[in-house]
Amino acid sequence: MYQPLADELRPTTLDDVYGQEEILGEGRMLRRMIESGRVPNLIFYGPSGTGKTTVANIIAAATQRTLYKLNATTASTADIREIVSQLDTFMAPNGVLLYLDEIQSFNKKQQQSLLEHIENGKITLIASTTENPYFYIFNAILSRCTVFEFKPITPAAAEKAVRRAVDYLAKKEQLEVTAEPGALEHIASSCGGDIRKALNAVEALFLVARTGDTSLHIRLEDAKAVTQRSAMRYDREGDNHYDCLSALMKSIRGSDPDAAIHYLARFLEVGDLPACCRRLLCSAAEDIGLAYPQAISIVKACVDSALQLGMPEARLPLADAVLVLATAPKSNSGVLAIDAALADVRHGKTGVIPRELQNVHADSAGQEREQGYLYPHNFPNHWVPQQYLPDLLKGTVYYHYGDNKVEQAARHYWDAIKGGSDGNSGR
C-alpha cells in the first residue's frame, strides 16, 4: 500500500523534529513536559506541516497511553462517546490520549462533551488548530489546556529535511542522486515553512525518474516546477487572510512602501482583489486623510481600473495606489473628529438644532417663525460668526488640524479670517 514520504519519514523522537526549537529545544517547556511523562491537556496552534501531529505521536509513545486520532471536520459527538466507552477497560488501561485535529471545527456542544473527561484526567486532550485558539476554542476548553504555538519551519531546517529525504529515497530506490546547485535549497525555501510540502516535492521528483536508470539528477528547473505557488499560505476566511489585511494597512500607515507592496503581492498572487481594494480605499481616508485629500480620488480611480482590468494587469494600478498611500503624508484628524462626534451622539449628547439651522419649510402653515439664519455668502470672505452646534454642545471641539502642510495651510487661512474667534486657532 502506498505510504506518502512525509508519513514514512515522520520523526519518532524529539531530536528528529525539525524546527520548533523554541518549544522543543533542550530545557524548553514542552520538551520538559514530555520527558517527565506527565503531559497535561495541550493545544497545538500553528500552520500545517510544522510537526503538530508528529509531536502528538511522540507524546503517546512516551506516556504509553492509547492514542486515538479524530479530525473535527469529520468527527461527531458519537465518536467521542465511543472513545469514552473504552475508558477503564483493558483497551485503555492507562487512560486515553486523544489527538483532535482541527478542533475549531467542533461546535460548542461538541467541545463541551470533552470537559468532564479531560478534567478528571481519563482523557488527555491534545488538540491542534491552524486558527487562533483564543478566537475559535471555547473558554471552558482553553482554561483546562496549555497552548503551544508551532511556527513555520525555517528554510534552513526545511533544507535538512529535504536532504534527509533525498538520501533516504536514493538508498531505497538504489539510485545515485546528484542535484543542480540551488535545486534543494529552492525546494526548502519554497515550501512556505511546511515540511510536508517540501517532502511531497522531493517525492514527486523521484516519481518522475525514468525506470531503469541508476542515477537521478535533480535540476533546478524541475525543482521550480514541483514547488510553483506552494509557498503561499492563504485562506479567505482564516487568520492568515486577516493578518495579511492588517499587515498591508499597517505598513501603509507606517510609511513603509516595500512592506506594503509585499503584502499587496500576496493578495495578487492568490487573486483576492476585492479584499485588498477595500483596504486601500479605507486607508486612503483613515491614514492619509486630509494630509493629502487627493489620495482618496486617486485610489478610487486605481481600484476601479484594477477591477475592470482583472489580473494580471490589475497589479499595475494597485501597485501605484499602494505606493502613493505608503509615501504620502499621514493624518488621522478626520478619524479622531468623527469618532469623537459619534461618541457624543451615542451617549445622547445631541440637543436641539439651533433655530437658525432648522428647515423653515417644515413649519406648519400659519405657525411660521423668524429663523434668523445668516447666509455666509452674503458676507466678506463668505463667513460670518454664527452658532451651528446645539446649545448642549456649544464650544465643543471635535476637529483638530493635523500638523501636515495641507491642514496647516487651512488652519492659517481660517485663523486669518475668523481671527481665532471660534477657539480653533493654533490647533
Side-chain angles (χ1 to χ4, degrees):
M1 184 177 71
Y2 168 71
Q3 183 181 16
L5 178 63
D7 190 58
E8 200 172 343
L9 291 181
R10 190 181 295 279
T12 56
T13 68
L14 293 177
D15 291 331
D16 293 332
V17 176
Y18 294 101
Q20 313 311 335
E21 285 80 6
E22 289 186 11
I23 56 177
L24 292 174
E26 288 292 340
R28 297 294 185 174
M29 181 60 68
L30 181 55
R31 187 185 187 105
R32 286 158 55 195
M33 285 182 177
I34 297 171
E35 291 176 342
S36 74
R38 298 186 301 274
V39 178
N41 300 304
L42 302 171
I43 292 174
F44 292 163
Y45 156 48
S48 59
T50 53
K52 300 188 296 296
T53 302
T54 295
V55 173
N57 288 335
I58 294 172
I59 291 174
T63 57
Q64 298 182 336
R65 305 188 77 174
T66 304
L67 175 64
Y68 288 91
K69 296 181 181 179
L70 291 178
N71 190 303
T73 59
T74 56
S76 66
T77 307
D79 296 308
I80 301 291
R81 288 197 297 266
E82 175 64 24
I83 294 173
V84 169
S85 69
Q86 297 181 21
L87 296 175
D88 300 323
T89 70
F90 70 92
M91 296 290 292
N94 298 317
V96 164
L97 182 67
L98 172 61
Y99 179 64
L100 182 58
D101 198 14
E102 304 294 345
I103 187 175
Q104 76 277 2
S105 296
F106 262 9
N107 59 34
K108 185 174 183 178
K109 181 179 179 180
Q110 289 171 313
Q111 290 188 28
Q112 287 178 330
S113 67
L114 295 166
L115 286 178
E116 175 187 349
H117 307 290
I118 66 175
E119 197 160 34
N120 62 27
K122 292 185 176 180
I123 291 180
T124 298
L125 175 67
I126 300 180
S128 72
T129 176
T130 55
E131 306 294 349
N132 191 325
Y134 299 102
F135 294 160
Y136 292 92
I137 299 178
F138 290 95
N139 286 333
I141 295 289
L142 277 175
S143 67
R144 292 163 174 81
C145 297
T146 302
V147 178
F148 286 98
E149 182 177 0
F150 283 62
K151 301 291 181 63
I153 307 300
T154 63
E159 186 180 340
K160 293 179 182 178
V162 167
R163 293 187 180 278
R164 179 190 175 212
V166 169
D167 292 341
Y168 173 82
L169 286 179
K171 184 176 181 180
K172 180 181 178 181
E173 304 293 337
Q174 297 184 337
L175 292 172
E176 184 177 338
V177 178
T178 57
E180 192 174 308
L184 301 185
E185 293 84 350
H186 179 81
I187 294 173
S189 62
S190 299
C191 68
D194 185 333
I195 289 290
R196 188 181 297 109
K197 283 184 178 180
L199 298 189
N200 288 343
V202 172
E203 186 175 19
L205 290 170
F206 273 80
L207 287 175
V208 298
R210 288 193 297 272
T211 305
D213 288 350
T214 59
S215 64
L216 170 64
H217 183 61
I218 300 176
R219 300 184 304 163
L220 178 58
E221 180 183 354
D222 292 336
K224 291 180 177 179
V226 297
T227 56
Q228 56 182 333
R229 299 176 68 93
S230 66
M232 282 300 299
R233 293 185 183 275
Y234 192 77
D235 179 353
R236 289 177 188 267
E237 301 298 330
D239 284 348
N240 189 259
H241 168 78
Y242 296 103
D243 286 344
C244 283
L245 287 175
S246 177
L248 172 62
M249 200 155 183
K250 288 174 180 173
S251 298
I252 290 172
R253 184 180 300 141
S255 302
D256 188 330
D258 300 303
I261 206 76
H262 167 78
Y263 292 114
L264 172 66
R266 292 195 183 192
F267 284 103
L268 298 182
E269 183 65 11
V270 296
D272 191 352
L273 295 183
C276 63
C277 287
R278 182 175 181 273
R279 282 294 95 193
L280 295 180
L281 290 168
C282 180
S283 187
E286 180 179 349
D287 297 312
I288 286 75
L290 299 177
Y292 183 40
Q294 298 95 320
I296 295 175
S297 57
I298 292 172
V299 171
K300 179 62 166 63
C302 289
V303 164
D304 288 346
S305 296
L307 295 177
Q308 289 181 8
L309 289 169
M311 287 296 290
E313 291 85 356
R315 76 190 191 283
L316 304 175
L318 290 182
D320 289 344
V322 163
L323 295 175
V324 164
L325 295 179
T327 57
K330 306 296 188 294
S331 174
N332 68 338
S333 58
V335 178
L336 298 177
I338 187 58
D339 285 351
L342 282 170
D344 277 353
V345 170
R346 287 165 181 166
H347 286 88
K349 294 178 67 176
T350 53
V352 178
I353 295 174
R355 174 60 183 168
E356 295 89 335
L357 306 186
Q358 292 176 7
N359 179 12
V360 293
H361 301 293
D363 289 343
S364 301
Q367 297 182 2
E368 297 85 353
R369 296 169 293 164
E370 179 62 31
Q371 184 181 36
Y373 172 62
L374 302 177
Y375 188 57
H377 295 300
N378 290 338
F379 296 86
N381 297 312
H382 306 273
W383 181 80
V384 61
Q386 188 167 215
Q387 180 180 334
Y388 292 94
L389 278 170
D391 288 340
L392 181 64
L393 294 168
K394 186 177 181 180
T396 300
V397 176
Y398 293 120
Y399 173 60
H400 298 267
Y401 289 102
D403 57 4
N404 57 83
K405 182 171 68 174
V406 173
E407 289 183 84
Q408 284 301 302
R411 180 180 74 82
H412 290 306
Y413 173 81
W414 286 112
D415 279 353
I417 292 174
K418 298 180 183 181
S421 64
D422 67 340
N424 204 17
S425 178
R427 292 183 287 105

